[in-house]
Amino acid sequence: MKLTFRIRYRTVWGENLRIILNEEENNSIPLTTRDGVIWQNSYEYFTTDIEKVITYRYGVFRGETCVRKEFGAIPHSFYLGNAQQTHYILDDCWRELPADFHRYSSAFNLPHPLSRPNKLPDGVGSCVTFRALCPGLSHKKQALAISGSCNALGNWDWFRPIRMQEVAPNVWHLTLDASSLPPSFEYKFVAVNAETGAVEEWEGRPNRTFHIQPLMRGETYLPMETEVFFNLPPRKIAGCAIPLFSIRSEGSCGTGDFGDLKSFIDWAADTGQQAVQLLPINDTSGNGGWMDSYPYSAISIYAFHPMYIDLRQLPEPEDKEEAQLFETERRKLNAQPLLDYEAVNKLKLAYLRTAFRQEGDEVLSSEEFLSFFAHNESWLQPYAAFCYLRDLNHTPDFHQWSKYQTYDAVEIAKLCNPENEVYPKIAFHYYIQYQLHKQLLDAASHARQRGVILKGDIPIGISRCSVEAWTEPYYFNMNGQAGAPPDAFSTNGQNWGFPTYNWEVMEKDNYLWWRKRFAKMAEYFTAYRIDHILGFFRIWEIPTHSVHGLLGHFIPALPMSEEEIRSFGLNFRKDFMTRPFICDYMLNTMFGDRSDEVRQTFVRHLHHDLYAMRPEFDTQRKVEAYFAGKNDEESLKMKEGLYSLISDVLFVPDRDHPELYHPRICVQNDFIFKQLSGKEQEAFNHLYNHYYYQRHNEFWYQEAMKKLPVLTQSTPMLVCGEDLGMVPECVAWVMERLQILSLEIQRMPKAFGLEFGRLCDYPFHSVCSTGTHDMSTLRGWWEEDPAVTERFYRQELGCWGEVPRQASGWICKEIIRRHLNSPSLLCILPWQDWMAIDEKLRNPDAAAERINIPANPHHYWRWRMHLTLEELAEHKDLSSEIRTLIQEAGRE
């Protein structure tokens, strides 16, 4: 059969337009043009499947390279009809993301049955197929139809529209016999009752007009797809953010679990909230100690943490004495105010081993498990082998695994062979992940039934001792450490320790690693938060010899040559500007009475009053090793001071091109900067501002646009980005173009010159919140800085008189009310801040509710609710108060 494509698209010299069939760029069809605007081509398509769906996109190519293609998770599509239709003529327009793209996401659409396109009887000479995009009708139990000014379209009768078929989520098609249509007519799309077919809503726009072009027998004409809108008010949603480990119920085992998640979803829905946001739930159990409580350092991007298993959904131990001992220990752990990470995981793993002995063989031979295994084998087998080898070698550092330190798929397959004597230890991890999968899938289904968006979290990094670093090391730069530059959270920057990504390798397979990761998330979640979305523009990479983040630089970036540095009026001197500046004044100021100890042990004298670090202490890691195990206050103070000496440089050499340089971040407060003359300081600041705020905008924009369109449109989930910190201007460009929801925090305004963000100015495509897990709670923040609190009290709340020392219930309620009334699509507040409006129910100790302190790399993540879900559900007054606030803000 013959396919003819036509599209109007203006190109520039050197560009050509092509059809990309079924997402295969290597199998594209070139179009031709005479004027650079109208592009078309006819193409012979061979298939024996006359009911096949054809999906395609338009792409702009330079030579054989696709430089730009249409956005959207929904490609153009059409269905082949009966065998008599031998020529399909398609008129199209270039499609960016549909307006209000969030309405097309799974967060706003419940799964529902789809239809095959309508088929006309044999003998029809020619056809017209209408195509339309219209989201959200299934949620209202409606369908799309066409009503028009001719008999074939019901003559505008409200009870005789012609119903369309939803052939893909939010994609509607209708094929009509061309001979039944007059040469020209008017029509509108209408929403009809899915049961009765009667019109319930009309398009709020002038009538559409249609003129049929002459068609030959066997031809089907497909006019341009159109987006259909009804007069629907923007739907805004309120929700709650809480770490899963923090949820507490009477049946918990010292930590929240997937069973508790279902109950928490019920509480949220009963209070009018329609979103629940979690922290990452992936397995972080590397070394087995409490340091593994950090949820952003996963050993697998697919496996879930065993501590989130709901043991109530597993069989009880057959040994009654063992069951009683477990119950005693469970009650003891659950009564603790904070998570005892080590004890909880020890108890849960013991219970899981008992359950596995009792039912493991039966479960692993079931059809349900075999189906799960077949679908997940590519990651599940390496993960199970990793866990076995971690426990066998007492370390997750695979470099110490002797025979298995380098991943070999053949050898791992032998290790995991059911005939192998160690197979039961491997299969134990299969069993755990299968149970976790079932329980989370059940909770996710429950959330959909209750109309609640379940929002997950995708960390930007992985542990360098992880399954992925072991099995796919080519995707990572293991010689770098990912982190963040200095910000309000940490004056020395953050060093997460993760390897950075080798984006050049990832680009070669169109970011398959990320797409598989997102696809796994989409099995359970309808929305997700991209942790540190800035990492897709650039990542702050810190050399492995550094502990702090100050000596890092952005990757990728455009470093500066010596000549370019001089062009800013700064005389570049390599020996002075790229090596630590240390003088007697610094040593006396920083170390006081211990300055002589520093001179004798850690530095060597150069000349006059200048010094250099001794070779055995010339990196922060060497200093860290020297002070290992010395945790007294004086040793910690000395260590931090030596770190500061080492980072006292003006420029950092580039990782790949050491003859090029990056200005060191936040150096203006350091001693070396003060050695510059006033003119040199002015020149450096000019260079610094150019480098960090102007130089990279277009460069980083292009870097993000290589990755994010592919990734964010690979699943139907609603996409939210955490875009806090040192945010370049191009981030807003990309997020607006891709309709990624930004994160808005009033105490971290993005507009220059503001101390507090203007809630009324928040963009619709955003998530607004009173804080994040990295911040103090609303009540905690109120008590941190009285001067800031007073300005907020006067300027933002418009109050006079004495400023309350603590954030009373009415203050918290007013702040929450204002957030709920913001224009943001989502208003997701920490659970602690929801509780803050009730002075009787909230935790008496505001400081105890903080989840994380980013400045402390060894923070113990262990906060738990001070109430059980059962107690929470009993307080109807609080539930009613929350529901009323949400209703009054129009977020029902």
Side-chain angles (χ1 to χ4, degrees), residues 643-678:
Y643 287 168
S644 297
L645 288 184
I646 293 169
S647 63
D648 190 36
V649 298
L650 273 178
F651 289 93
V652 176
D654 184 70
R655 180 191 70 188
D656 298 323
H657 304 282
E659 73 282 3
L660 302 176
Y661 303 94
H662 308 264
R664 207 216 79 187
I665 191 81
C666 294
V667 73
Q668 287 86 345
N669 295 322
D670 283 16
F671 285 95
I672 191 170
F673 182 77
K674 296 172 184 176
Q675 302 308 305
L676 301 178
S677 67

Side-chain angles (χ1 to χ4, degrees), residues 528-660:
Y528 65 97
R529 167 189 180 270
I530 301 178
D531 169 53
H532 195 67
I533 196 172
L534 302 180
F536 291 91
F537 295 75
R538 80 291 186 275
I539 196 75
W540 189 251
E541 184 175 277
I542 304 161
T544 53
H545 58 69
S546 292
V547 176
H548 288 167
L550 293 174
L551 291 176
H553 62 79
F554 288 122
I555 295 289
L558 302 171
M560 309 179 83
S561 66
E562 294 183 19
E563 292 74 18
E564 187 177 9
I565 293 172
R566 292 190 180 99
S567 73
F568 282 85
L570 183 66
N571 182 26
F572 182 80
R573 290 159 283 167
K574 181 176 180 180
D575 288 349
F576 167 60
M577 294 183 171
T578 65
R579 296 175 185 173
F581 175 80
I582 307 172
C583 66
D584 279 326
Y585 174 76
M586 288 176 59
L587 297 178
N588 294 334
T589 301
M590 295 173 64
F591 299 99
D593 294 341
R594 301 188 68 182
S595 61
D596 285 340
E597 179 185 347
V598 174
R599 291 183 181 92
Q600 295 168 9
T601 307
F602 300 103
V603 301
R604 59 187 176 88
H605 183 254
L606 294 177
H607 57 82
H608 298 88
D609 69 337
L610 299 181
Y611 300 82
M613 299 300 297
R614 294 179 184 270
E616 59 268 37
F617 300 111
D618 61 359
T619 72
Q620 292 180 346
R621 288 296 179 196
K622 291 178 182 179
V623 171
E624 180 185 49
Y626 177 82
F627 284 94
K630 301 175 183 179
N631 297 317
D632 60 282
E633 185 177 348
E634 286 299 314
S635 293
L636 293 175
K637 184 178 179 181
M638 173 76 76
K639 181 174 65 173
E640 289 297 321
L642 294 171
Y643 287 168
S644 297
L645 288 184
I646 293 169
S647 63
D648 190 36
V649 298
L650 273 178
F651 289 93
V652 176
D654 184 70
R655 180 191 70 188
D656 298 323
H657 304 282
E659 73 282 3
L660 302 176

Side-chain angles (χ1 to χ4, degrees), residues 744-765:
E744 308 295 333
I745 307 290
Q746 189 174 22
R747 52 179 132 153
M748 288 189 70
K750 295 173 182 173
F752 180 75
L754 294 181
E755 183 175 19
F756 309 110
R758 301 184 192 280
L759 298 174
C760 60
D761 292 338
Y762 285 176
F764 175 70
H765 288 123

Side-chain angles (χ1 to χ4, degrees), residues 1-244:
M1 65 183 59
K2 184 178 179 181
L3 307 180
T4 297
F5 297 93
R6 299 191 300 224
I7 185 172
R8 177 184 293 268
Y9 186 85
R10 187 174 298 277
T11 56
V12 299
W13 179 259
E15 293 181 342
N16 63 88
L17 215 60
R18 299 189 185 186
I19 299 289
I20 302 171
L21 289 176
N22 300 320
E23 307 292 348
E24 298 176 8
E25 290 183 15
N26 296 329
N27 187 26
S28 57
I29 305 168
L31 302 180
T32 61
T33 183
R34 292 183 178 181
D35 58 6
V37 178
I38 305 298
W39 294 82
Q40 62 182 8
N41 198 1
S42 294
Y43 171 70
E44 291 293 335
Y45 187 81
F46 299 96
T47 180
T48 57
D49 184 0
I50 62 172
E51 295 188 356
K52 183 178 178 64
V53 59
I54 307 294
T55 62
Y56 63 97
R57 298 182 192 271
Y58 290 92
V60 177
F61 284 72
R62 285 185 176 271
E64 297 301 315
T65 303
C66 182
V67 296
R68 185 168 60 257
K69 64 180 179 181
E70 292 180 297
F71 287 155
I74 307 171
H76 299 281
S77 65
F78 68 95
Y79 285 76
L80 304 179
N82 54 41
Q84 285 77 28
Q85 302 303 305
T86 58
H87 186 193
Y88 290 82
I89 305 167
L90 301 100
D91 275 337
D92 285 310
C93 59
W94 183 274
R95 179 196 289 167
E96 294 289 332
L97 287 183
D100 289 337
F101 186 53
H102 66 277
R103 291 185 181 271
Y104 293 83
S105 70
S106 54
F108 289 85
N109 288 275
L110 295 174
H112 59 280
L114 301 174
S115 305
R116 297 292 297 174
N118 68 305
K119 290 185 63 175
L120 299 180
D122 293 342
V124 172
S126 56
C127 305
V128 175
T129 297
F130 292 92
R131 299 174 293 171
L133 303 178
C134 186
L137 292 182
S138 60
H139 186 72
K140 300 177 67 175
K141 297 183 179 179
Q142 293 178 329
L144 194 65
I146 299 179
S147 182
S149 62
C150 60
N151 189 57
L153 296 178
N155 285 317
W156 298 116
D157 286 342
W158 70 273
F159 56 88
R160 288 205 304 137
I162 308 302
R163 183 166 171 170
M164 305 181 76
Q165 303 297 316
E166 189 177 15
V167 298
N170 306 307
V171 179
W172 300 81
H173 285 190
L174 173 64
T175 299
L176 298 174
D177 183 349
S179 65
S180 68
L181 299 170
S184 64
F185 56 89
E186 294 183 334
Y187 69 101
K188 275 188 175 181
F189 291 97
V190 294
V192 300
N193 185 289
E195 294 183 0
T196 66
V199 175
E200 293 185 341
E201 295 181 69
W202 296 76
E203 277 189 285
R205 51 155 292 160
N207 293 343
R208 301 173 184 267
T209 59
F210 191 87
H211 303 278
I212 297 180
Q213 64 179 35
L215 296 174
M216 304 289 290
R217 186 173 185 82
E219 289 185 336
T220 295
Y221 174 62
L222 296 93
M224 294 180 187
E225 287 174 311
T226 185
E227 293 183 56
V228 179
F229 302 96
F230 295 103
N231 291 324
L232 300 175
R235 182 182 172 197
K236 298 197 296 182
I237 281 174
C240 183
I242 190 168
L244 181 54

